[in-house]
Amino acid sequence: MNIEMWVRALKAARAGAEMSQEALATATRWSPSTVAAIETGRRRPTMEFAVAADDALATGGLLAELLRAADQDRGPSWFAQWRGYEQRATRLRAFEACLVPGLLQTEEYAHAVISAGGLHPPSVVDELVAVRLERQKLLSRDVPPHCVFLVDEMGLRRPVGGPAVLDAQLGRLHEVADLPFVRIHVIPLAVGEHVGLGGGFVLADLPDGDRALYLENAVRGHVMDDPEMIALIDRKWDSLLGEALSTGATLDLIRKLKVTQ
């Protein structure tokens, strides 16, 4: 299910109800320009709009259900498998060597990362940022996964998006670190070389006892469940955690970096 199919469903429902765009806008309390932008693909519908359209068009919740299905398919096709693991995980352990982990990024920081180099058109950048922010909702679930994040200090010093964006991002890290199910550790620059310099990774523990590993390169991400590979990354994780600052010392460093930006 993609968003184009959802738009076709909306148009069909509106035609069946013999309702114009202007009338739908009035009924949903959205502007006519917003309804037009959604129907022409220039703006992605929100769940609030889908629910309002269901009420206005008497579609029995169909549009909201179809949008949920479309949201599950957002982002690169190769990332869909990992999103499923991420959403089901009871524990996530993530390491990043050069930037803040995606689950902790502010919107402005994520936009700066994804738009770097002009590799994607603005519409694709906006969509990828929206997907990243959508993923972060797992941190506000009633029963969130236990999350441990390891970040190289260089990733907290790199001025992604400029000083103001980085300052806000450091503030976000400090807020998230107060959550009872989140731990953040920084590997200080004084450590020098360590086993994580080759790249980041995420380990997911799943409810059925299985485990999954996510690795990302310059082109795409790879999801693995090979026991030998996971065992190797486990050893890397233990080594990195042994080099990292305690949670208290990590928060002290984040406060210091925030002040000095």
Side-chain angles (χ1 to χ4, degrees):
M1 176 74 188
N2 57 37
I3 203 63
E4 289 79 10
M5 293 173 64
W6 186 91
V7 170
R8 287 199 293 272
L10 171 66
K11 290 179 178 179
R14 184 169 60 76
E18 299 182 346
M19 186 178 291
S20 67
Q21 283 187 353
E22 291 76 12
L24 179 60
T26 299
T28 58
R29 297 185 179 180
W30 290 72
S31 70
S33 62
T34 296
V35 174
I38 289 173
E39 289 201 353
T40 56
R42 291 181 287 110
R43 177 167 176 173
R44 188 179 182 91
T46 64
M47 185 56 67
E48 291 78 10
F49 177 82
V51 170
D54 274 327
D55 290 341
L57 300 170
T59 48
L62 174 64
L63 295 173
E65 185 61 33
L66 291 177
L67 186 58
R68 289 189 189 95
D71 281 343
Q72 289 299 313
D73 294 335
R74 296 173 78 182
S77 58
W78 49 261
F79 193 67
Q81 182 184 10
W82 177 252
R83 281 195 73 184
Y85 286 139
E86 188 177 66
Q87 293 299 314
R88 292 172 48 219
T90 57
R91 181 172 68 151
L92 291 168
R93 290 178 290 159
F95 166 71
E96 283 288 356
C98 60
L99 74 165
V100 171
L103 288 176
L104 303 180
Q105 291 176 7
T106 65
E107 181 174 357
E108 294 77 12
Y109 187 99
H111 191 279
V113 170
I114 293 171
S115 64
L119 300 180
H120 304 294
S123 60
V124 173
V125 171
D126 291 344
E127 177 66 8
L128 292 176
V129 170
V131 170
R132 186 159 298 181
L133 297 180
E134 180 73 21
R135 289 170 52 216
Q136 295 178 5
K137 290 183 179 180
L138 67 83
L139 297 178
S140 57
R141 290 192 322 219
D142 290 340
V143 184
H146 176 68
C147 299
V148 186
F149 300 96
L150 282 175
V151 189
D152 192 283
E153 183 180 340
M154 183 57 68
L156 302 186
R157 289 183 176 274
R158 187 178 302 279
V160 173
V165 170
L166 179 58
D167 190 69
Q169 178 62 73
L170 293 172
R172 166 69 173 160
L173 291 180
H174 205 278
E175 294 171 2
V176 174
D178 284 337
L179 297 174
F181 54 88
V182 172
R183 287 168 48 203
I184 301 175
H185 298 274
V186 170
I187 301 172
L189 290 177
V191 168
E193 69 279 358
H194 57 69
V195 298
L197 292 178
F201 57 82
V202 186
L203 286 161
D205 293 350
L206 306 173
D208 54 9
D210 287 341
R211 304 170 71 201
L213 166 67
Y214 179 72
L215 299 171
E216 194 168 86
N217 60 28
V219 178
R220 57 169 295 165
H222 297 274
V223 180
M224 302 181 185
D225 58 7
D226 177 68
E228 290 187 8
M229 182 62 71
I230 290 177
L232 173 63
I233 298 300
D234 262 335
R235 293 196 296 274
K236 280 195 172 190
W237 176 268
D238 289 343
S239 177
L240 291 168
L241 189 60
E243 300 283 10
L245 299 174
S246 68
T247 53
T250 290
L251 289 178
D252 287 342
L253 176 59
I254 291 173
R255 279 192 291 265
K256 176 183 176 182
L257 293 175
K258 192 175 188 304
V259 168
T260 58
Q261 296 307 316

